């Protein structure tokens, strides 16, 4: 699960806060300071990362939970089933009564990151691992910015998303 909240501060600045527990990722594409509209000119800022059992930090937590499910196989899956190490639900992977939520095999505790200074022309791409397995942060931002430039200001978010999915 991933949530992104955009909020305007007291001086009008916009801040985005992202909470992620799972295999989604959120990337902010910052428009270049010079106002360059070249889709490839944006800077990609990763505001979350996927929680995969094969990542060292996540794998360590899974193994330390010392549960019947505390194993990560050669494919990077918990107990041969789960390809994510944080998620809501899947309660049987959160049954160790002696452990806090953050230390369970499958933790529901999100990572939270924020970025200030979001400006008009910046884009926010939120996608699941199926997209991120196919494109880099920079590539996703370039595709979305190019779609917005080509489709115009009346383009719906659905149209822009379809362009990214088609690119994958």
């Amino acid at each position: 699960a991933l949530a992104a909240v955009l909020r305007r501060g007291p001086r009008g600045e916009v801040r985005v806060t992202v909470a992620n527990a799972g295999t989604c990722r959120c990337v902010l594409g910052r428009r270049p300071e010079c106002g360059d509209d070249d889709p490839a000119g944006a800077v990609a800022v990763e505001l979350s990362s996927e929680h995969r059992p094969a990542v060292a930090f996540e794998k360590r937590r899974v193994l330390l939970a010392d549960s019947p499910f505390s194993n990560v196989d050669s494919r990077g899956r918990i107990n041969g089933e789960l390809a994510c190490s944080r998620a809501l639900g899947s309660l049987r992977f959160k049954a160790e009564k002696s452990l806090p939520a953050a230390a369970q095999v499958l933790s529901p505790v999100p990572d939270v990151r924020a970025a200030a200074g979001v400006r008009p022309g910046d884009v926010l791409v939120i996608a699941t691992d199926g997209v991120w397995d196919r494109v880099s942060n920079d590539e996703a931002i370039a595709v979305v910015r190019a779609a917005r430039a080509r489709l115009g200001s009346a383009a719906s978010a659905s149209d822009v998303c379809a362009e990214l999915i088609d690119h994958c």
Side-chain angles (χ1 to χ4, degrees), residues 93-119:
F93 292 95
K94 301 171 183 166
E96 294 301 316
K97 295 184 187 326
S98 63
L99 296 176
Q104 294 289 331
V105 171
L106 184 64
S107 173
V109 178
D111 281 336
V112 178
R113 297 184 197 168
V118 178
R119 305 181 317 260

Side-chain angles (χ1 to χ4, degrees), residues 34-158:
C34 64
D36 183 6
D37 286 332
D38 177 10
V43 175
V45 179
E46 191 171 279
L47 295 178
S48 68
S49 55
E50 299 101 301
H51 296 118
R52 297 179 185 250
V55 173
F57 176 80
E58 296 291 319
K59 184 175 185 176
R60 182 174 186 274
R61 182 183 45 74
V62 169
L63 298 176
L64 286 174
D66 197 26
S67 149
F69 301 117
S70 289
N71 61 71
V72 177
D73 67 19
S74 61
R75 296 179 307 149
R77 294 181 178 272
I78 295 173
N79 202 45
E81 298 176 47
L82 295 177
C84 65
S85 54
R86 297 190 197 198
L88 305 176
S90 299
L91 296 178
R92 68 189 182 109
F93 292 95
K94 301 171 183 166
E96 294 301 316
K97 295 184 187 326
S98 63
L99 296 176
Q104 294 289 331
V105 171
L106 184 64
S107 173
V109 178
D111 281 336
V112 178
R113 297 184 197 168
V118 178
R119 305 181 317 260
D122 290 349
V123 296
L124 198 62
V125 177
I126 300 170
T128 188
D129 57 345
V131 170
W132 300 117
D133 287 345
R134 305 283 304 194
V135 298
S136 69
N137 295 344
D138 291 328
E139 187 178 1
I141 295 301
V143 168
V144 167
R145 285 181 45 114
R148 288 184 67 211
R150 191 173 52 69
L151 297 171
S153 60
S156 70
S158 295

Side-chain angles (χ1 to χ4, degrees), residues 1-4 18-27 47-49 88 125-127:
L2 188 143
V18 176
N20 181 42
T23 56
C24 290
R25 187 184 319 160
C26 181
V27 177
L47 295 178
S48 68
S49 55
L88 305 176
V125 177
I126 300 170

